[in-house]
Amino acid sequence: MLYGIVAAALALALAAVLTVLLRAPALRLGAAERRRQRPVPLSGGTAVVAATGLVAGAGDWTGLAPLGDGVGRLLAAATCVAVLGLAADLWRLGTRFLLVGTAVAAVLVVPYAETGIPGGILAVGWIVFVAVAFKGLDHADGPVGVVGMPAAFGAGACAAAEVMDGLATLLSVLAAALTGFLMHSWPPARAGLGAGGALFAGFLLAGALVVTRAGQDLVPSAGVLFALTSVAVADAVLVLLSRRLAGRPLLRRGPDHLAHRLRRLGLTPQGTAVLLGIGGGAGVLVGVLVQTGTAGEGAVLWVAAVAAVVVLALLRVPVYGPRRRPPVPSSQVGARLRVRNG
């Protein structure tokens, strides 16, 4: 217990300090994005990955908090995914490259002996979906931190309920590292998580939840997994539906996420982050209560119903401007004028 508190405090402080120290190198290397006409360095991702890996690795190496083979493999796979994301931040690699790399990593961490092959395939798809959904949350100031931090705490509580101490320790360290990052990503953000950090957090969360629920009934497990990641899932579903209905490419970035639409309704950046955090925290609470048997499995249906209502309501918020017509070549303009003038 004492080591867990010390480890969490150390991860929080380390992530907060590294986010600041890595801001200048990130700007020099071009790992930044423009938000509201200002450059935001993507230093938080490297800070969160380093803080989580170093603190959890130190606990395993010293024997104070052994992770175990399966948990160590999950952390190693998540780190590899983070490296892919960092490469995408630096060299603007395509989303398809990240999808393939994340899928390969997910294949290596699913416990097929407990899930079975069909269940394992579903688990791989779920891990990839959640990882990419968390990447999508890192488009504005605050959302990925306020959603990821309670989700990591909740996933750690679920692992502790199943007496998976190594996994619970790793998730508590991740939650603390995301809290340290959130100190710098609160609007107006001074640092972003980037693809590396967002994929790392989403992959680690989804993979840990799959390991925690492996061997249990599929439908209740799916409900718990959804509740703990409900905001990220709702954001991804909203974006996919919106782009599909608008006839836009699914992988093209656009101002169509939850935070964008809430801002269009008049919320401030701070208000948007608070609202998303409350929604994420409520879903996490329901998921933990169902996992521990305190609430019935039907409680997840309330989370699903609220998420569906929010998605359908925000679909009505206009976010895409009129399509721009391609410029007409000057030769065609002249030909049209000659035709009109007879």
Side-chain angles (χ1 to χ4, degrees), residues 3-4 14 19 80 82 146-147 163 181 310 312 322:
Y3 174 79
L14 190 58
T19 300
C80 292
V146 298
V147 171
V163 199
F181 160 73
V310 170
L312 293 175

Side-chain angles (χ1 to χ4, degrees), residues 33-334:
E33 63 181 22
R34 298 197 69 81
R35 296 181 184 174
R36 304 186 69 185
Q37 306 305 315
R38 56 186 174 83
V40 176
L42 304 178
S43 59
T46 303
V48 167
V49 174
T52 304
L54 289 174
V55 174
D60 184 62
W61 180 68
T62 59
L64 294 173
L67 296 178
D69 293 337
V71 180
R73 184 168 63 251
L74 175 62
L75 178 58
T79 304
C80 292
V81 171
V83 173
L84 291 178
L86 178 60
D89 290 333
L90 293 174
W91 298 301
R92 303 297 185 263
L93 301 178
T95 303
R96 290 182 179 85
F97 174 81
L98 296 179
L99 287 172
V100 172
T102 305
V104 171
V107 168
L108 300 177
V109 301
V110 172
Y112 300 98
E114 299 176 12
T115 63
I117 298 301
I121 294 173
L122 291 175
V124 169
W126 174 257
I127 293 172
V128 174
F129 181 79
V130 172
V132 176
F134 267 79
K135 176 181 176 294
L137 284 176
D138 191 43
H139 60 273
D141 299 350
V144 70
V146 298
V147 171
M149 181 265 291
F153 273 120
C158 291
E162 296 296 323
V163 199
M164 297 180 175
D165 295 336
L167 191 58
T169 299
L170 175 61
L171 289 166
S172 66
V173 169
L174 173 64
L178 287 171
T179 305
F181 160 73
L182 184 58
M183 296 168 61
H184 302 285
S185 68
W186 186 258
R190 298 178 299 280
L193 201 59
L199 287 173
F200 174 81
F203 185 95
L204 200 53
L205 278 170
L209 288 171
V210 166
V211 172
T212 300
R213 295 291 305 188
Q216 302 185 42
D217 292 341
L218 179 60
V219 174
S221 296
V224 172
L225 267 60
F226 165 73
L228 286 160
T229 56
S230 56
V231 171
V233 172
D235 183 71
V237 171
L238 174 64
V239 168
L240 292 174
L241 285 176
S242 178
R243 294 176 186 176
R244 180 68 176 176
L245 293 173
R248 296 170 63 89
L250 297 181
L251 299 183
R252 178 187 296 177
R253 299 185 64 177
D256 46 13
H257 292 265
L258 284 171
H260 292 133
R261 296 170 191 269
L262 292 174
R263 290 294 313 280
R264 283 183 175 264
L265 292 177
L267 270 70
T268 63
Q270 294 83 357
T272 298
V274 169
L275 187 60
L276 292 177
I278 292 173
V284 167
L285 178 61
V286 171
V288 172
L289 292 177
V290 172
Q291 171 69 27
T292 57
T294 307
E297 297 170 358
V300 176
L301 296 177
W302 288 100
V303 179
V306 172
V309 169
V310 170
V311 168
L312 293 175
L314 292 182
L315 270 176
R316 302 178 63 86
V317 178
V319 292
Y320 303 124
R323 294 184 178 181
R324 296 181 179 180
R325 295 182 178 180
V328 179
S330 57
S331 59
Q332 294 185 17
V333 173

